[in-house]
Amino acid sequence: GENVEQHPSTLSVQEGDSAVIKCTYSDSASNYFPWYKQELGKGPQLIIDIRSNVGEKKDQRIAVTLNKTAKHFSLHITETQPEDSAVYFCAATGGTSYGKLTFGQGTILTVHP
Amino acid sequence: GAGVSQSPSNKVTEKGKDVELRCDPISGHTALYWYRQSLGQGLEFLIYFQGNSAPDKSGLPSDRFSAERTGGSVSTLTIQRTQQEDSAVYLCASSLDSGGGREQYFGPGTRLTVT
């Protein structure tokens, strides 16, 4: 089955700096890669996603890049704000895990004012 | 519109008791998923339903876990003879269908504590 590795496990930045979180996946047939933000006591919230036919996608301050050859994808947050502080999860699905998300271990992002 | 809702938000039960957790998906979504989030295992898939097809139960950790979806909408996850290792947050998600690349939207979860 699919295996997703996520790094770093914790990330601390100053407000206004950029933050980058990286994930690798194992199943070359995976074709959908969402990112979720989870705040304390809440369920994961979908913030951006990318499909395997696209190399990069941007939505305001957040962007995701995908390298299918290397089987890795990354989340980029620019001009970070304190409200960006949360746990971020990457995930992958497709191929043999059709419909089922396999998640990375999560990154605790702290943005200091 | 209304998102995915789950009830109860918190459940404390004694070891050996049965529990039922409920999920109401987004209206019109035909696919429904259950995941479990625990400190040791992270976010892991349990089971999913797609329309009238047989559910994919490949993630259920033991035969004490079961789920059903009535009328293609509401789903109930049942854990029989609960054990302390069942303590976790149980998350439900729904999507338009289970086709590759369909966005999954999560509910707030049910925090289960087995004492």
Side-chain angles (χ1 to χ4, degrees), chain B residues 26-65:
Chain B
I26 294 172
S27 178
H29 281 193
T30 63
L32 185 148
Y33 308 80
W34 284 98
Y35 294 87
R36 179 169 70 174
Q37 185 171 29
S38 58
L39 281 176
Q41 300 297 322
L43 267 160
E44 56 180 343
F45 164 80
L46 297 177
I47 184 171
Y48 89 83
F49 298 87
Q50 169 55 61
N52 296 320
S53 303
D56 180 334
K57 307 179 183 180
S58 60
L60 294 179
S62 78
D63 58 8
R64 296 186 296 104
F65 288 71

Side-chain angles (χ1 to χ4, degrees), chain B residues 34-112:
Chain B
W34 284 98
Y35 294 87
R36 179 169 70 174
Q37 185 171 29
S38 58
L39 281 176
Q41 300 297 322
L43 267 160
E44 56 180 343
F45 164 80
L46 297 177
I47 184 171
Y48 89 83
F49 298 87
Q50 169 55 61
N52 296 320
S53 303
D56 180 334
K57 307 179 183 180
S58 60
L60 294 179
S62 78
D63 58 8
R64 296 186 296 104
F65 288 71
S66 63
E68 63 177 20
R69 188 177 186 193
T70 54
S73 181
V74 172
S75 176
T76 303
L77 178 69
T78 301
I79 308 173
Q80 296 179 308
R81 305 181 301 282
T82 52
Q83 304 294 312
Q84 288 186 329
E85 60 263 29
D86 299 334
S87 295
V89 176
Y90 290 82
L91 292 160
C92 176
S94 71
S95 65
L96 277 174
D97 58 49
S98 64
R102 287 300 193 189
E103 298 89 345
Q104 294 185 25
Y105 298 95
F106 283 80
T110 293
R111 179 174 296 278
L112 175 66

Side-chain angles (χ1 to χ4, degrees), chain A residues 27-107:
Chain A
D27 187 352
S28 56
S30 288
N31 56 15
Y32 175 62
F33 308 91
W35 285 89
Y36 287 86
K37 174 184 180 182
Q38 187 174 28
E39 297 174 322
L40 199 60
K42 297 184 178 181
Q45 174 194 2
L46 179 66
I47 56 172
I48 196 168
D49 56 17
I50 192 166
R51 291 169 175 78
S52 59
N53 58 346
V54 175
E56 184 174 358
K57 182 177 178 180
K58 188 174 182 180
D59 182 4
Q60 300 185 333
R61 295 186 299 107
I62 59 174
V64 57
T65 59
L66 171 65
N67 183 326
K68 287 170 51 182
T69 303
K71 289 191 284 188
H72 68 69
F73 56 113
S74 301
L75 177 71
H76 304 253
I77 306 174
T78 59
E79 300 170 29
T80 53
Q81 302 167 1
E83 51 266 38
D84 294 330
S85 297
V87 182
Y88 290 80
F89 292 94
C90 62
T93 189
T96 57
S97 62
Y98 199 73
K100 301 176 285 188
L101 292 173
T102 300
F103 286 88
Q105 298 87 339
T107 296

